[in-house]
């Protein structure tokens, strides 16, 4: 079974595997999470932006995994707390990028007005950039 979705949705499926989903799964079924960790080079073990930790559920041993080299990872080993923290690192940059693209579209005339700026006050801060 391959689980694809947000980090927290996949974490919930990982927890449910041993609880509410357990009676519905055949013994020994393998489950994988399609990990959407931050990536930069995507050249397999060059920049390490995509590094995730795995925790062996039997021994507790941690290992490092390059997600761009191995995107589908064993569900029961993925450290979802780390993945969530890594994804939140990009939140500010993603919001700034969205506002910048929106601003460019408005200036080009491709969009009538900004859709990402919620108030007059923040709009004046936003327009002060350019
Ligand atoms: S994204 Fe650079 S090593 Fe994986």
């Amino acid at each position: 079974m391959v689980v694809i979705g947000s980090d927290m949705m996949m974490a919930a499926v990982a927890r449910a595997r041993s609880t509410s989903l357990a009676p519905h799964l055949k013994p020994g079924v393998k489950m994988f999470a399609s990990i959407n960790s931050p990536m930069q080079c995507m050249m397999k073990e060059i920049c390490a932006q995509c590094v995730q930790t795995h925790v062996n559920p039997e021994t507790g041993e941690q290992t490092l995994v390059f997600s761009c080299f191995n995107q589908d990872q064993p569900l029961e080993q993925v450290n979802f707390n780390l993945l969530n923290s890594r994804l939140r690192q990009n939140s500010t940059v993603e919001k700034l990028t969205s506002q910048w693209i929106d601003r460019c579209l408005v200036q080009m005339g491709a969009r009538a007005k900004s859709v990402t700026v919620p108030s007059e006050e923040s709009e004046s801060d936003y327009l002060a950039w350019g």
Side-chain angles (χ1 to χ4, degrees):
M1 181 181 295
V2 177
V3 181
I4 300 173
S6 72
D7 55 315
M8 291 295 98
M9 185 280 281
M10 292 188 290
V13 172
R15 286 191 302 274
R17 178 184 188 164
S18 59
T19 57
S20 58
L21 283 179
H24 307 288
L25 297 172
K26 292 180 183 174
V29 65
K30 296 198 180 305
M31 297 179 76
F32 295 90
S34 187
I35 300 300
N36 55 347
S37 65
M39 295 190 195
Q40 186 172 333
C41 72
M42 299 182 71
M43 295 179 68
K44 302 179 179 176
E45 304 180 7
I46 300 294
C47 75
Q49 179 71 18
C50 63
V51 165
Q52 280 295 125
T53 57
H54 281 186
V55 180
N56 183 318
E58 294 172 11
T59 66
E61 179 187 12
Q62 287 193 26
T63 53
L64 297 177
V65 176
F66 290 84
S67 294
C68 71
F69 185 71
N70 180 15
Q71 194 162 4
D72 295 331
Q73 303 174 14
L75 187 69
E76 71 279 2
Q77 293 186 21
V78 175
N79 181 343
F80 285 104
N81 289 332
L82 175 68
L83 176 60
N84 183 258
S85 297
R86 300 283 318 285
L87 289 169
R88 292 179 63 85
Q89 286 178 310
N90 290 348
S91 175
T92 301
V93 173
E94 289 171 358
K95 288 174 183 152
L96 289 172
T97 299
S98 177
Q99 287 192 355
W100 182 253
I101 291 171
D102 189 51
R103 178 184 187 278
C104 292
L105 291 173
V106 169
Q107 285 199 343
M108 290 171 44
R111 183 176 293 157
K113 63 178 187 169
S114 175
V115 294
T116 59
V117 178
S119 70
E120 286 294 319
E121 181 179 323
S122 61
E123 185 172 6
S124 63
D125 292 342
Y126 163 70
L127 294 175
W129 294 5

